[in-house]
Amino acid sequence: FTVAAALMLRRAIPASSQVLVGKPEGIEPFGERFLLHKVRVLHNLKGSPIQSPVIRVVQIRGITPHVEPGRPGPRLYCLRPLGADADRLGLPGDRQPYYRLNGQQGSHPRLDPATEGANPAVDPLVALTQALVAGESGQPLEKTRDQLLALVMHPDPIARFEATMALAEREALHRRIDMVRMSNLLNRCAGETNDLVYRIALAELCATTKNHGVVEALCLGLDRIEDLGYARSAGRSAGYVAGDRGTEILNPRIRHVGSDAERGRLLVMLGASGADSGLKLLMEHGRSRPNTPMLREALLANGRPQAVALAKRLPSKASATPDASTPKRPTSRPTSGSTGG
């Protein structure tokens, strides 16, 4: 499970030459190959001015992606102009301008109906778009940082995930987060046990500072967080933050924890950290305590040849318990009313 690949709106925005809020107004078939999605432009957020109130987004049947028809309400459109390709494809000149979707996952979301009004930023994904576009256009980094940090705390699951990852992926932004605010983010990471994808994103953001306390915070809640996907992601963050020192933090917890399930998740976290000392400890477990629950998953999470070879030789009791699922990324939003609630 790779959190960074879960949603890509934060990457689609800078990769698109035109970003706008639009309202679908029907589909016009053209020949056997094309569907022309008629879109009324509500707010142009990035790109050249659009003179026409209506644009067409071109879908080639069976090739280019598009949302399913019949879903009313405004949406965010990350677009690229079709330009001269429209003539090459034989599209009618009286229905220009033509665009195609960016196509990256999460780059065409439904928005709050209130975005049809004068202030589209009532929807947090529009606010995210405006912050990133302004950042591209020379807005002071501190202002972009503050806008994204506000969205990190937003209740909308997609907006807060995208904002958190946008900060984590941009060094110029996360290095400007002061210690007080980073400490608040670390506390939020430690306390979040419901939205695991969000927690992992927070962990990645906190890990960029390599500050004391990150590994300890990642361990909190493992008695209740059953998804091994979280344990693997937390382990990778621990390895980045602390290296072999992470083993010194995890080993006492592994030895003294109360339940086999939590011990197993800590072992998976240790394996995923990639630390040499962690691998040595797992290999010792494999030789002296081969029936340890989830030891196989811990060795596979480490991924080194000797760890994988040992995992294949372990008895079945060393496999994961039935709670070893994977965190689900946020894929849906409320269909009416405010997306923030």
Side-chain angles (χ1 to χ4, degrees), residues 35 55 58 104 114 147 223 235 324:
L35 294 174
I55 64 171
V58 178
Q104 288 181 281
Q147 291 170 330
D223 57 329

Side-chain angles (χ1 to χ4, degrees), residues 94-273:
D94 60 351
R95 301 187 201 177
Q96 297 186 35
Y98 294 106
Y99 295 86
R100 62 183 178 90
L101 286 177
N102 175 283
Q104 288 181 281
Q105 190 168 4
S107 64
H108 186 40
R110 298 175 67 190
L111 301 175
D112 190 314
T115 56
E116 295 187 43
N119 178 22
V122 295
D123 189 293
L125 291 184
V126 176
L128 172 76
T129 302
Q130 291 176 327
L132 294 178
V133 171
E136 290 180 51
S137 303
Q139 173 177 270
L141 290 167
E142 290 76 13
K143 185 172 182 179
T144 304
R145 172 205 62 194
D146 291 344
Q147 291 170 330
L148 293 177
L149 282 173
L151 289 167
V152 167
M153 301 301 179
H154 199 282
D156 183 272
I158 296 178
R160 67 187 184 184
F161 169 80
E162 292 276 12
T164 304
M165 292 305 301
L167 286 166
E169 293 169 353
R170 292 164 170 78
E171 182 182 359
L173 294 176
H174 66 238
R175 73 183 181 188
R176 285 175 164 79
I177 302 176
D178 59 77
M179 292 305 300
V180 172
R181 283 189 278 192
M182 190 62 78
S183 178
N184 291 336
L185 292 171
L186 187 58
N187 290 335
R188 192 173 182 90
C189 173
E192 179 62 58
T193 57
N194 294 319
D195 187 345
L196 297 186
V197 170
Y198 175 47
R199 176 171 173 150
I200 294 169
L202 285 169
E204 292 196 19
L205 175 55
C206 294
T208 60
T209 65
K210 296 190 176 184
N211 287 326
H212 176 76
V214 173
V215 178
E216 291 85 348
L218 294 174
C219 294
L220 293 177
L222 278 178
D223 57 329
R224 304 183 303 279
I225 299 175
E226 298 179 348
D227 294 287
L228 290 191
Y230 171 74
R232 285 188 286 267
S233 293
R236 288 191 289 270
S237 294
Y240 174 77
V241 170
D244 280 305
R245 189 175 61 84
T247 305
E248 300 174 10
I249 299 171
L250 292 173
N251 190 26
R253 285 175 162 79
I254 292 169
R255 287 190 284 110
H256 299 299
V257 73
S259 72
D260 287 343
E262 186 177 358
R263 180 178 294 106
R265 293 168 204 143
L266 286 166
L267 286 169
V268 171
M269 188 174 169
L270 178 65
S273 73

